Amino acid sequence: MQQNSSSVSANRQSMLKFRCAPMERVRIGFIGVGARGQLAVNRMAHIEGAEVVALCDFIDDNLDASVAIVEKAGGAKPKTYLGEAGWRAMCESDSVDLVYVSTDWLSHAEIAIYAMECDKHVALEVPAAMSVADCWRLVDTAERKQRHCIMLENCCYDEFELASFNMAKEGLLGDIIHAEASYIHDLRERISSNDQGHRRWKNWQVEYMATHIANFYPTHGLGPVALTLGLHRGDRMKSLVSMSSRGVGKAEEFRGTMNTSVITTEKGRTIMLQHCIALPRPYSRSFLLSGTKGYIQKYPVPYAAFAPNSREVLAGEECLVLAERYRHPFVEAYKAKGVELCGTRWIDYTMDSRLIYCLRNGLPLDMDVYDAVEWSSLVELTEMSALAGGAPVEIPDFTRGEWDRYQGFEFAMAK
């Protein structure tokens, strides 16, 4: 597996803790304003300092609906663009600071690279890329152009995960030795019909799953675990082994229905990562942290246990009471407004608000380009291992040896 990009330029600069000049307002251009994109437009239209100035899609009705969202929120009518020529023209426009991408996942890397080449910052829906080669291209471009490239992983802002992050930071769990993460979600009905979720574009998820065997969507479970473990901030994912079950459905249309992978880190930790969206199972992201002093998990029932009385388990409501004691400030800052605007998806509002806050204050973003590519690279790497019968596969060091320059993850705050 390639450890270093062959296209590294002599003037590359690391994106670790990268910050740009503060922006009084952040002018946003959206590429892809279907079901998910319109939700994002609505959120940004209500965030102070964010201005929706441009919209692009393949479908006129999506553009009209998004324009109406912005105007209803009191914003000026955004400029609209149509099709591939349209998104390229938007990226080239001097009126856009940040390109927000909510298109099909196979197009994410191409759009992001073009936008950064046009000197724009980029925010990508998950995954950021579907191949290791495209992951390297994202890193190379971000380092050369010195532009933010953030993957929009909303689960990093969920309430329980943030509380667990605080527990770990304060040493309640000790040295975390093992973690578990997953995306288990019964999406059989949604992915079999474009009507589900108001999709109006081709069913690219099913097309991809019909020809690949992998963990297609590793980031929801992995993201909060990765930040808590400080991956590329004192530790890094080093290798993995992966196995997939047989497919199910008509003509086994869902290949590799259940994927299970085990990741080892440079410091000898292990992470078990799973993905399944084609079986009737309850929703779960697992989220389990096991350390030398304590243990905590979120699914299927919140549990916590701590030394020296680890047999005295805090279960269910007792565990949630504990989590409330370690409530993260972001919950206080964003939840009420987020619930009012987005209901149960209030973490999306927190995610977007943090992005705008960091850009306006010239701070490092919560997740950098290395997070985006490390987590996304697992799509191809899990498939490589699964196709080889679970053979170990090396995970590239996208920081090129700088993974231990900083120790531990921190959310940047203005002084």
Side-chain angles (χ1 to χ4, degrees):
M1 176 57 58
Q2 182 185 18
Q3 282 296 320
N4 294 288
S5 170
S6 60
S7 60
V8 179
S9 61
N11 62 348
R12 72 164 284 268
Q13 297 182 58
S14 172
M15 298 301 290
L16 293 171
K17 294 197 174 184
F18 170 75
R19 59 181 71 204
C20 62
M23 303 179 187
E24 182 177 351
R25 62 189 180 111
V26 181
R27 302 170 300 170
I28 309 170
F30 285 84
I31 301 176
V33 287
R36 293 183 69 87
Q38 288 176 32
L39 295 175
V41 169
N42 187 50
R43 295 192 302 268
M44 284 298 191
H46 288 86
I47 295 175
E48 182 180 356
E51 183 179 352
V52 181
V53 299
L55 305 164
C56 181
D57 202 273
F58 283 97
I59 299 172
D60 286 312
D61 287 352
N62 286 344
L63 293 171
D64 293 340
S66 300
V67 168
I69 289 170
V70 176
E71 292 182 328
K72 182 179 179 180
K77 182 179 180 180
K79 185 173 182 179
T80 58
Y81 299 82
L82 192 65
E84 181 169 350
W87 69 252
R88 292 181 184 275
M90 175 195 288
C91 292
E92 295 162 4
S93 170
D94 292 334
S95 65
V96 173
D97 302 310
L98 172 70
V99 173
Y100 197 113
V101 182
S102 299
T103 59
D104 69 280
W105 56 31
L106 287 173
S107 65
H108 289 177
E110 178 187 5
I111 295 173
I113 290 165
Y114 193 83
M116 287 188 285
E117 291 288 2
C118 294
D119 296 317
K120 305 300 187 291
H121 303 293
V122 182
L124 291 164
E125 284 280 7
V126 300
M130 301 299 281
S131 71
V132 173
D134 276 348
C135 286
W136 275 119
R137 292 173 65 212
L138 287 171
V139 171
D140 289 343
T141 309
E143 290 178 339
R144 177 168 49 83
K145 298 297 292 186
Q146 291 291 280
R147 288 296 180 267
H148 287 297
C149 180
I150 183 173
M151 183 171 62
L152 298 161
E153 183 41 76
N154 60 355
C155 293
C156 293
Y157 301 94
D158 211 347
E159 193 165 359
F160 191 92
E161 283 86 332
L162 285 173
S164 301
F165 170 80
N166 276 347
M167 292 182 204
K169 183 179 177 183
E170 295 187 24
L172 200 63
L173 305 178
D175 183 12
I176 298 174
I177 301 300
H178 175 73
E180 296 180 15
S182 67
Y183 186 67
I184 310 295
H185 198 177
D186 184 359
L187 294 178
R188 291 170 297 162
E189 183 178 7
R190 182 187 299 180
I191 62 180
S192 66
S193 171
N194 280 351
D195 294 333
Q196 291 293 320
H198 307 289
R199 286 171 168 80
R200 303 191 63 172
W201 191 236
K202 61 184 181 180
N203 208 328
W204 41 268
Q205 289 175 306
V206 172
E207 291 179 5
Y208 190 87
M209 289 186 293
T211 55
H212 291 79
I213 178 171
N215 186 324
F216 312 104
Y217 210 62
T219 72
H220 279 340
L222 181 62
V225 165
L227 296 186
T228 302
L229 294 182
L231 298 186
H232 83 248
R233 301 167 178 91
D235 198 0
R236 75 173 188 94
M237 295 187 292
K238 187 176 181 180
S239 65
L240 65 81
V241 294
S242 184
M243 297 287 286
S244 287
S245 71
R246 69 173 179 85
V248 298
K250 183 179 180 181
E252 295 194 349
E253 60 186 333
F254 304 113
R255 295 190 65 197
T257 302
M258 166 63 81
N259 178 271
T260 300
S261 306
V262 177
I263 300 165
T264 57
T265 75
E266 191 75 37
K267 289 190 172 180
R269 295 160 162 163
T270 54
I271 304 167
M272 186 181 78
L273 184 66
Q274 291 187 307
H275 176 273
C276 180
I277 61 172
L279 293 175
R281 292 184 53 172
Y283 181 88
S284 175
R285 297 197 304 274
S286 298
F287 190 73
L288 182 154
L289 303 171
S290 186
T292 55
K293 294 183 179 180
Y295 165 99
I296 193 161
Q297 72 172 46
K298 183 175 182 180
Y299 299 93
V301 176
Y303 281 116
F306 302 97
N309 302 312
S310 59
R311 293 183 181 180
E312 297 179 7
V313 177
L314 299 175
E317 191 61 36
E318 289 182 301
C319 186
L320 295 178
V321 170
L322 170 69
E324 182 64 22
R325 286 167 44 193
Y326 290 88
R327 195 179 201 222
H328 197 279
F330 291 168
V331 179
E332 190 70 34
Y334 301 116
K335 185 174 183 178
K337 176 67 174 178
V339 169
E340 176 186 341
L341 192 64
C342 311
T344 57
R345 296 187 65 93
W346 65 270
I347 57 176
D348 293 344
Y349 177 78
T350 304
M351 173 186 71
D352 288 341
S353 296
R354 277 293 298 172
L355 172 57
I356 299 303
Y357 173 88
C358 291
L359 289 173
R360 294 187 74 199
N361 287 280
L363 297 171
L365 304 188
D366 294 342
M367 293 163 280
D368 58 28
V369 68
Y370 305 116
D371 293 308
V373 298
E374 286 163 5
W375 308 348
S376 298
S377 71
L378 300 186
V379 175
E380 182 178 15
L381 297 176
T382 56
E383 181 167 54
M384 291 174 60
S385 177
L387 288 174
V393 172
E394 183 182 358
I395 301 173
D397 174 13
F398 292 99
T399 70
R400 301 183 176 95
E402 296 183 313
W403 56 270
D404 61 346
R405 185 200 294 185
Y406 301 104
Q407 302 298 310
F409 171 79
E410 297 284 348
F411 290 102
M413 300 298 296
K415 296 180 180 179

